[in-house]
Amino acid sequence: MAKPTLNFVCQSCGAAFSKWSGRCDGCGEWNTIQEEKPLSEGPAKQALVGRGRAVALTDLNSQEAPPPRTASALGELDRVLGGGLVPASAVLVGGDPGIGKSTLLLQAAAAFANAGLKVIYVSGEEASAQVRLRARRLGLGEAQVKLAAETNLRDILTTLDQERPDLAIVDSIQTMWSDNVGSAPGSVSQVRAAAHELTSFAKKRGSAVIMVGHVTKDGQIAGPRVVEHMVDTVLYFEGERGHQFRILRSVKNRFGPADEIGVFEMTGGGLAQVHNPSALFLSERGQPAPGSVVFSGIEGTRPVLVELQALVAPSPHSQPRRSVVGWDGSRLAMILAVLESRCGIPFAGLDVYLNVAGGMKISEPAADLAVAAALLSAREDTALPAETVVFGEISLSGALRPVGQTENRLKEAQKLGFSTAILPKGGKAAGSKAMKLTRMGDLSAFVGEIFGAG
């Protein structure tokens, strides 16, 4: 029996189906499944024997010099890229609407042009006059950047092939359309074809290409995930509209460390670099208050200090609320369970709210002990000393596990004036003689010594 052909594709998540359906089983969206023309199956395998051309092979220990990176005046951007822009690389930048992606890339285009690169900025969402107007507002009217407003992928590639730029910025990949793909712009097939063509151009011609990608309501880059596999670097531009700073985070980088961050501050003249993010995140921290704890974390290769805020209050409802902003909600549930099971501190009948101040998002488990300290501080209405930082991982048995890069965490805290650190036993802590280190073996000892509860 012949296998059915998958000709129906969800335009939201890229899931393929053999027949049309009103609702996608993959992402749950309605009216997103459309029929697409299948790719040509090509000749039989037997017909490929003896055809084609030989591919040149080189040794791994060849003496060819690695491609030089180009640094811009935006040090935070260079940090996230791994030290600068690599020739023939493909970079995908995603972010929420209005977060500042186009502003960042326009400033990056001017910075790389000032560094001596030939830069072309292709906009599929704005006219050239609108881009020039934004450039004048940012004080970049004299930058040697060539502009183009086009959505036809064939015309764009022809222009890039003639101009041979060192850097091409395409804003955005969802607006590009290829005339040999029979679907609407922004569909899965169009996004996949445009990303493939632009990435192939970057590899063949040696030009770096930066593509802007829209994000879905879940915060993921719209289109098939295969697009993220095609490119060399995937960057997310994050931030809260109520805060003035933005975070450029690397989630994939073939030429540098992944999960690196660069911090920018949104001003009237564009995005300004923040060279000391810890001072910015703690700038609005007032007097010590119950539920407030400073956590020393690591983002990529950079230590960052942020304030964790917790609030514990009696719940008027039969099922208490658990609200988290900037952290993993399931991790919070685990810590509450460990506190109740291993330390005898119940949170039943209490609403629990946890917030990472400043809109920062934390994903590392090293924040477990700081979260537990914030919850206990709010519950017992006891404030921790102002000059104390907390970090450590909590296991299900209640034991505290040491975390990596302890020295860097302590040095950053000491640089900002903190004199005491609470951390698990074990781990290296050389170079921190000026700080008082309080080491804990398990969560019960931490609760009893710091709060006298449990």
Side-chain angles (χ1 to χ4, degrees):
M1 183 176 179
K3 186 178 180 179
T5 305
L6 303 177
N7 293 339
F8 295 88
V9 179
C10 175
Q11 305 302 309
S12 178
C13 67
F17 304 91
S18 59
K19 61 181 181 179
W20 184 87
S21 176
R23 185 174 185 268
C24 175
D25 296 333
C27 62
E29 296 290 336
W30 288 89
N31 299 324
T32 58
I33 299 178
Q34 298 181 8
E35 183 177 6
E36 294 189 355
K37 296 181 180 180
L39 299 176
S40 176
E41 297 180 356
K45 293 182 179 180
Q46 292 79 4
L48 297 177
V49 178
R51 295 188 179 183
R53 57 184 177 85
V55 179
L57 302 176
T58 58
D59 294 331
L60 188 63
N61 59 354
S62 60
Q63 300 300 320
E64 295 182 5
R69 297 177 182 265
T70 302
S72 66
L74 299 176
E76 295 297 301
L77 176 62
D78 295 337
R79 170 190 286 270
V80 178
L81 291 175
L85 186 66
V86 177
S89 62
V91 181
L92 181 62
V93 180
D96 294 332
I99 204 67
K101 300 185 299 295
S102 299
T103 299
L104 172 65
L105 292 182
L106 188 58
Q107 292 183 230
F112 282 116
N114 294 333
L117 297 186
K118 184 178 181 180
V119 183
I120 293 181
Y121 188 100
V122 181
S123 176
E125 301 177 344
E126 300 175 282
S128 298
Q130 294 174 319
V131 178
R132 286 195 297 267
L133 181 63
R134 178 153 45 88
R136 293 193 187 98
R137 179 175 59 85
L138 299 176
L140 306 174
E142 302 299 327
Q144 298 300 315
V145 178
K146 294 187 177 181
L147 303 178
E150 184 57 61
T151 58
N152 191 317
L153 185 61
R154 187 188 299 271
D155 297 340
I156 293 173
L157 291 175
T158 301
T159 303
L160 296 180
D161 195 42
Q162 293 176 352
E163 296 288 338
R164 296 292 180 90
D166 299 310
L167 170 62
I169 298 176
V170 179
D171 186 9
S172 66
I173 191 67
Q174 274 79 15
T175 60
M176 301 294 115
W177 65 277
S178 177
D179 50 14
N180 59 354
V181 178
S183 57
S187 62
V188 172
S189 298
Q190 288 284 4
V191 172
R192 182 171 55 234
H196 173 71
E197 293 292 339
L198 290 171
T199 303
S200 300
F201 170 81
K203 303 303 179 184
K204 292 179 181 178
R205 301 303 183 189
S207 301
V209 176
I210 300 179
M211 297 170 279
V212 178
H214 296 166
V215 296
T216 63
K217 62 181 181 181
D218 297 328
Q220 303 294 325
I221 295 180
R225 296 303 298 266
V226 70
V227 174
E228 298 189 22
H229 295 286
M230 289 180 185
V231 299
D232 301 310
T233 304
V234 179
L235 308 179
Y236 278 88
F237 203 42
E238 306 170 351
E240 300 290 340
R241 294 184 181 274
H243 300 280
Q244 74 274 17
F245 62 87
R246 306 287 186 264
I247 298 174
L248 183 64
R249 185 184 303 273
S250 169
V251 298
K252 172 189 175 182
N253 194 350
R254 290 173 178 162
F255 312 116
D259 209 23
E260 187 69 84
I261 66 167
V263 184
F264 298 87
E265 183 178 5
M266 180 64 74
T267 65
L271 292 166
Q273 300 183 78
V274 177
H275 300 289
N276 191 349
S278 299
L280 175 67
F281 293 141
L282 299 178
S283 60
E284 298 179 358
R285 184 169 181 260
Q287 296 296 324
S292 175
V293 174
V294 176
F295 164 64
S296 182
I298 296 290
E299 295 291 341
T301 60
R302 163 184 280 176
V304 178
L305 269 63
V306 294
E307 180 186 4
L308 301 181
Q309 300 172 345
L311 177 63
V312 178
S315 176
H317 308 288
S318 59
Q319 185 173 359
R321 294 194 59 184
R322 303 288 187 261
S323 180
V324 186
V325 178
W327 206 50
D328 187 8
S330 60
R331 196 90 186 170
L332 173 63
M334 184 202 78
I335 292 179
L336 291 175
V338 172
L339 285 172
E340 183 168 357
S341 176
R342 305 300 181 187
C343 304
I345 301 178
F347 283 84
L350 298 174
D351 288 336
V352 175
Y353 301 89
L354 181 67
N355 175 50
V356 181
M360 183 76 177
K361 295 181 180 179
I362 300 175
S363 59
E364 61 172 336
D368 290 351
L369 188 57
V371 170
L375 295 174
L376 292 170
S377 173
R379 186 183 185 278
E380 302 297 327
D381 197 25
T382 301
L384 267 72
E387 295 80 17
T388 303
V389 294
V390 184
F391 58 89
E393 181 181 355
I394 299 176
S395 64
L396 292 178
S397 63
L400 299 182
R401 295 179 177 178
V403 296
Q405 302 192 46
T406 302
E407 297 181 27
N408 294 335
R409 300 174 194 266
L410 294 176
K411 288 179 181 178
E412 181 71 12
Q414 184 178 352
K415 184 173 65 175
L416 293 178
F418 290 86
S419 58
T420 306
I422 302 176
L423 67 161
K425 290 183 177 180
K428 297 181 179 179
S432 56
K433 297 180 180 180
M435 294 191 67
K436 178 184 177 182
L437 303 183
T438 304
R439 297 182 178 273
M440 300 292 177
D442 54 40
L443 191 58
S444 298
F446 169 78
V447 173
E449 183 171 341
I450 303 301
F451 296 97

